[in-house]
Amino acid sequence: MERYLIVVDMQKDFIDGALGSEMAQAIVPGVVRKIKEYDPGHIYATRDTHFENYLETLEGKKLPVAHCIKDSEGWQLHPDVMAAMPMAKILDKYTFGCGELADEMYRLSLGGEMEVELVGLCTDICVVSNALLLRAKLPGTVIKVDASCCAGVTKESHNAALATMKMCQIDVI
């Protein structure tokens, strides 16, 4: 069985930048350890990507904090995370979930049984969005989320997202 790891939005702005938090900083070593458990060619990463007009977008009006502006320092993946996954396929995404990632995992699933695990930020926004997209696209695939390698905006919203994923038959480990 093929195993794939998806590293969601482990970017500087979410760790120690514009929207960073101590909770996000705390998961970096665990995410690096998790990456090392996977075949280097079976790692995918998403990168939240916005542009200079971010504050004028719907998301920017609801979350008026400029972040992950393409090519900025905050848009970059955390250096320790990036160093751990030099062969990762990195997908830029322009909203919470990444349809391209779901399509790629579906394509890979045609080759036989597989398992997908997600880690990253933020549990309650982009991790849950991508997990649910994958669940919809891959109804017969084991999908896992490592709660110790995820952080939410708050502890309460992190736990709520984990509960939502459990209800949708995503294994929370």
Side-chain angles (χ1 to χ4, degrees):
M1 174 175 50
E2 299 291 330
R3 296 174 57 237
Y4 293 89
L5 179 67
I6 298 170
V7 179
V8 178
D9 297 358
M10 288 296 293
Q11 293 162 270
K12 292 179 67 54
D13 268 349
F14 292 128
I15 297 170
D16 56 13
L19 295 170
S21 70
E22 289 181 12
M23 291 182 295
Q25 292 168 32
I27 70 165
V28 172
V31 170
V32 170
R33 282 191 301 275
K34 179 68 70 171
I35 289 167
K36 293 177 181 178
E37 295 175 11
Y38 279 82
D39 177 325
H42 287 194
I43 300 170
Y44 286 74
T46 64
R47 191 167 44 196
D48 195 39
T49 301
H50 302 295
F51 302 94
E52 294 298 329
N53 71 336
Y54 172 76
L55 294 176
E56 300 165 23
T57 67
L58 179 66
E59 181 182 330
K61 290 175 183 169
K62 293 185 179 285
L63 176 63
V65 178
H67 64 281
C68 298
I69 305 300
K70 187 175 174 104
D71 297 324
S72 70
E73 183 178 339
W75 177 71
Q76 303 299 324
L77 294 169
H78 187 281
D80 295 347
V81 172
M82 192 64 215
M85 52 179 203
M87 294 176 58
K89 183 172 182 181
I90 300 169
L91 301 170
D92 291 341
K93 62 182 188 56
Y94 307 102
T95 187
F96 307 129
C98 184
E100 182 182 354
L101 175 66
D103 291 344
E104 177 72 6
M105 290 296 115
Y106 176 76
R107 185 187 66 72
L108 291 168
S109 76
L110 298 176
E113 192 174 347
M114 67 186 279
E115 178 180 293
V116 179
E117 184 172 358
L118 294 93
V119 298
L121 301 167
C122 291
T123 318
D124 41 356
I125 302 173
C126 295
V127 174
V128 68
S129 295
N130 282 288
L132 293 175
L133 277 172
L134 290 167
R135 171 51 62 231
K137 194 82 171 181
L138 303 167
T141 298
V142 172
I143 299 172
K144 297 180 180 181
V145 172
D146 186 335
S148 71
C149 292
C150 294
V153 174
T154 67
K155 186 69 173 161
E156 294 77 21
S157 60
H158 167 81
N159 288 333
L162 295 174
T164 296
M165 290 186 274
K166 285 179 186 177
M167 292 297 295
C168 293
Q169 301 173 355
I170 293 164
D171 298 335
V172 176
I173 58 173

